[in-house]
Amino acid sequence: MSLLQSTQSNQPLNTSSPPQQVVINTRPIERAAPLTRHLQAAGLTVIDMPMLALQALAMTEADMQLMRQWFAGHYQALVIVSPTAAAAGLAVWQALEHEANAQDSNAQDSNFQDSNSQDSNSQDSNAQNSSAQDNKNQNKAAIQQNSSVEISSAPSHLIAVGEATAAVLHKARLQAANYQVLQPTIANNEGMLVMPEIESLQTGDKLLVWRGLGGRRLLADTLQARGVHIDSIAWYERVMPADAKAHYEYWLQSFSRQQAAQGIVLSPQTKPIVIISSGTAFEYWVTIVGQVPAVAAESKSDTNLNERLAVSLNNTVPLKLADFAYLVLGTRLAHMVAEQQLNYYRVEDLAPETILAAIEHMTR
């Protein structure tokens, strides 16, 4: 578990009522549930508000060619960056296994037929019949063995970024003796770069990446500068959910009315905490928060949050980016948030235990 306080302005937050602390989970809906359940079990009010939706991309002929090359052992390592990429890639890998097994079965069947033909034309019937029967039994055994398709071994080192990604791979039908899922100590680009399997790559070596469209380039740029050939397959793209703005406005209406009705005085110590794990998600968040129109003329941009909350029980009070505290993943996101002079706390992984510990530190 790794927690890093990132700026001096980001002093530990304090609240007198931890169970009332609001946490907004912006992770994609496919990945939000375990974290949300863990935080709710700890007494936090968690709002699932995905800032990213994952849309599958059609596989191209070029993508399939890369998969065939990897399957044939042309790469030294495969990096899988997410559970979604793992599931998509595994489906194609299994299809290639089926194809290879079918070809083996056809070849064995051909050998079996050749053996029968040779046997029928043999002059030494006793010896030849015995040999043909042995071949027949061996071929049948081989065909039966291949009738149950499973991934038996990886053509290269297999590196999963994060526990959730590794879990998808572990659930595949793999023979443990021939297969190992490797993971970086820290689940990010920096963590992968210090892995022996990545650090040892040299000029002329090849690395394949299963990923989503976009994302960080540190791993690829660093290895390419070292002369390593990088190929990647984008299995999905990240888009803003169609209902993201409506979802935010609905929550904001409820939040502002509740605060005003209960006479709760908000302060920097009780800001809603927003969990951000992606640069793209943060960009979408900035866009949505900025799109909510100002309420009434009496609600001015330079008034503080409590004054804006007191405008009217019937109005939705717009919040600014600075009215939230941010829990962000990694150095790159920390820099993005710091550039906007926002309070933030940085973590190095998204394990529910890590996130909860960070929130407890922020609200201590």
Side-chain angles (χ1 to χ4, degrees):
M1 185 179 298
S2 177
L3 303 175
L4 292 175
Q5 192 167 343
S6 305
T7 60
Q8 239 178 352
S9 63
N10 178 26
Q11 297 300 320
L13 303 180
N14 187 23
T15 178
S16 58
S17 182
Q20 296 181 358
Q21 176 65 54
V22 174
V23 178
I24 298 175
N25 185 0
T26 67
R27 301 215 70 203
I29 195 67
E30 300 88 346
R31 304 175 187 172
L35 176 58
T36 292
R37 287 195 298 267
H38 190 80
L39 299 181
Q40 288 175 335
L44 299 171
T45 298
V46 184
I47 309 298
D48 282 328
M49 197 180 298
M51 286 294 114
L52 291 178
L54 306 181
Q55 288 188 347
L57 293 174
M59 192 174 193
T60 66
E61 287 295 330
D63 293 335
M64 195 64 191
Q65 183 61 27
L66 292 178
M67 283 296 296
R68 292 186 184 280
Q69 290 175 3
W70 172 76
F71 188 71
H74 295 177
Y75 291 86
Q76 279 65 49
L78 168 67
V79 170
I80 307 172
V81 304
S82 72
T84 305
L90 277 171
V92 178
W93 184 0
Q94 288 172 325
L96 292 175
E97 285 281 350
H98 276 282
E99 183 180 280
N101 287 342
Q103 291 173 352
D104 288 345
S105 295
N106 290 337
Q108 290 160 358
D109 197 34
S110 176
N111 290 337
F112 173 71
Q113 292 174 1
D114 290 343
S115 175
N116 278 343
S117 176
Q118 291 171 5
D119 177 60
S120 65
N121 295 325
S122 172
Q123 298 299 317
D124 191 354
S125 60
N126 290 335
Q128 293 294 338
N129 284 339
S130 176
S131 176
Q133 187 61 45
D134 289 343
N135 287 337
K136 185 188 297 184
N137 292 337
Q138 290 173 4
N139 287 332
K140 284 184 177 179
I143 292 170
Q144 289 171 356
Q145 184 177 5
N146 283 325
S147 65
S148 177
V149 176
E150 65 180 50
I151 298 173
S152 58
S153 62
S156 71
H157 290 305
L158 195 59
I159 300 171
V161 183
E163 292 291 342
T165 303
V168 173
L169 298 168
H170 285 308
K171 289 178 182 177
R173 297 176 61 191
L174 308 176
Q175 292 181 8
N178 300 326
Y179 192 89
Q180 183 181 9
V181 178
L182 306 173
Q183 292 179 251
T185 303
I186 300 176
N188 57 22
N189 280 245
E190 292 82 357
M192 283 187 288
L193 284 169
V194 298
M195 295 180 69
E197 295 78 13
I198 297 295
E199 203 169 25
S200 63
L201 294 177
Q202 302 174 357
T203 299
D205 287 339
K206 298 180 70 175
L207 173 76
L208 181 62
V209 182
W210 292 354
R211 62 182 180 87
L213 196 64
R216 296 185 66 188
R217 293 281 309 171
L218 178 63
L219 177 68
D221 291 346
T222 301
L223 292 179
Q224 285 175 335
R226 198 188 298 169
V228 178
H229 181 87
I230 309 292
D231 286 315
S232 64
I233 299 175
W235 300 102
Y236 59 91
E237 63 179 336
R238 305 171 182 88
V239 299
M240 182 188 292
D243 61 350
K245 184 171 180 288
H247 193 174
Y248 174 77
E249 290 178 338
Y250 179 82
W251 168 80
L252 181 59
Q253 181 182 48
S254 174
F255 176 78
S256 59
R257 289 180 177 178
Q258 182 182 35
Q259 300 303 302
Q262 295 178 356
I264 296 176
V265 177
L266 293 185
S267 69
Q269 287 72 32
T270 56
K271 294 179 179 180
I273 295 173
V274 184
I275 299 172
I276 301 287
S277 60
S278 159
T280 304
F282 182 65
E283 291 170 358
Y284 291 159
W285 171 262
V286 170
T287 298
I288 286 176
V289 172
Q291 283 179 345
V292 176
V295 284
E298 61 265 35
S299 180
K300 300 178 181 179
S301 61
D302 58 352
T303 59
N304 64 40
L305 177 58
N306 293 321
E307 290 173 343
R308 281 180 278 140
L309 286 174
V311 170
S312 171
L313 291 179
N314 297 317
N315 284 328
T316 298
V317 180
L319 302 182
K320 298 180 293 186
L321 289 173
D323 293 326
F324 300 89
Y326 297 87
L327 202 167
V328 303
L329 174 67
T331 304
R332 177 171 170 268
L333 270 175
H335 289 164
M336 291 178 66
V337 175
E339 286 175 356
Q340 303 224 25
Q341 298 182 331
L342 303 173
N343 283 346
Y344 70 91
Y345 197 93
R346 188 178 102 210
V347 296
E348 297 301 339
D349 66 76
L350 293 171
E353 297 81 8
T354 299
I355 301 300
L356 178 58
I359 293 172
E360 289 174 345
H361 189 92
M362 295 170 74
T363 57
R364 191 172 298 157

